[in-house]
Amino acid sequence: TYHLTVEDLEREILVVHARRDEYFGVDIKCKHKGCDINYQPTEKLFRCPCHGSEYDLAGANLKGPSVKPLNYYHAELRGNEVVVTVYGPNDTPPANATPPKDTTHREVADSSAASQQDSTGANKKSTGW
Ligand code: FES
């Protein structure tokens, strides 16, 4: 897992390499009371240590008390870098911020349809991974 902080966009993002060729980025702060969520690799979900909220790989709620989803951020491997498309709280979410369907039990699938880039210029490249 990787913790990505984007100060100018007020985002703290957790990026996980969940399956072969599949990366997922979500807000690191739980939507209940703001604790940092943890990734559970065997269950392939995110769990909050404070009160037990759970979210799927795309940030959708699986278990309360949180009732709000985490924002999802598109992440993909390009060459040796994982590129995460980041957007701020006041930006229109880019087209690829739509989570893939069924992120809990999906088999590895062709993700070519999800690799389009947005035109907002908000792409951030990670370095040093
Ligand atoms: Fe995460 Fe309460 S802060 S469940």
Side-chain angles (χ1 to χ4, degrees), residues 30 32 37 46-49 51-55 63-67:
C30 178
H32 179 228
I37 56 162
F46 299 100
R47 181 174 296 130
C48 179
H51 314 99
S53 289
E54 292 178 354
Y55 305 88
K63 191 175 152 201
S66 174
V67 292

Side-chain angles (χ1 to χ4, degrees), residues 1 4 8 17 23 31-32 34 40 53 58 107 114 125 129:
T1 61
L4 183 66
D8 55 342
H17 184 187
Y23 294 79
K31 296 294 184 183
H32 179 228
Q40 309 295 319
S53 289
E107 295 299 318
K125 278 195 175 183
W129 291 6

Side-chain angles (χ1 to χ4, degrees), residues 6-129:
V6 188
E7 288 178 15
D8 55 342
L9 289 175
E10 300 167 32
R11 294 298 204 207
E12 283 195 71
I13 299 172
L14 189 63
V15 180
V16 298
H17 184 187
R19 291 183 281 251
R20 190 168 66 91
D21 298 334
E22 286 194 292
Y23 294 79
F24 294 85
V26 296
D27 291 322
I28 202 166
K29 300 289 182 198
C30 178
K31 296 294 184 183
H32 179 228
K33 291 190 188 280
C35 294
D36 286 3
I37 56 162
N38 295 318
Y39 180 54
Q40 309 295 319
T42 51
E43 299 159 274
K44 304 229 180 299
L45 55 78
F46 299 100
R47 181 174 296 130
C48 179
C50 291
H51 314 99
S53 289
E54 292 178 354
Y55 305 88
D56 75 9
L57 289 170
N61 296 87
L62 296 174
K63 191 175 152 201
S66 174
V67 292
K68 284 195 194 160
L70 305 168
N71 290 304
Y72 166 78
Y73 304 89
H74 179 79
E76 66 178 307
L77 185 64
R78 283 195 219 152
N80 293 325
E81 294 181 318
V82 177
V83 180
V84 183
T85 304
V86 181
Y87 53 97
N90 299 318
D91 296 338
T92 303
N96 63 10
T98 303
K101 290 185 174 52
D102 186 12
T103 50
T104 50
H105 302 294
R106 196 162 52 108
E107 295 299 318
V108 173
D110 177 14
S111 61
S112 59
S115 62
Q116 293 297 313
Q117 279 302 294
D118 70 292
S119 57
T120 64
N123 293 325
K124 297 284 178 183
K125 278 195 175 183
S126 64
T127 54
W129 291 6

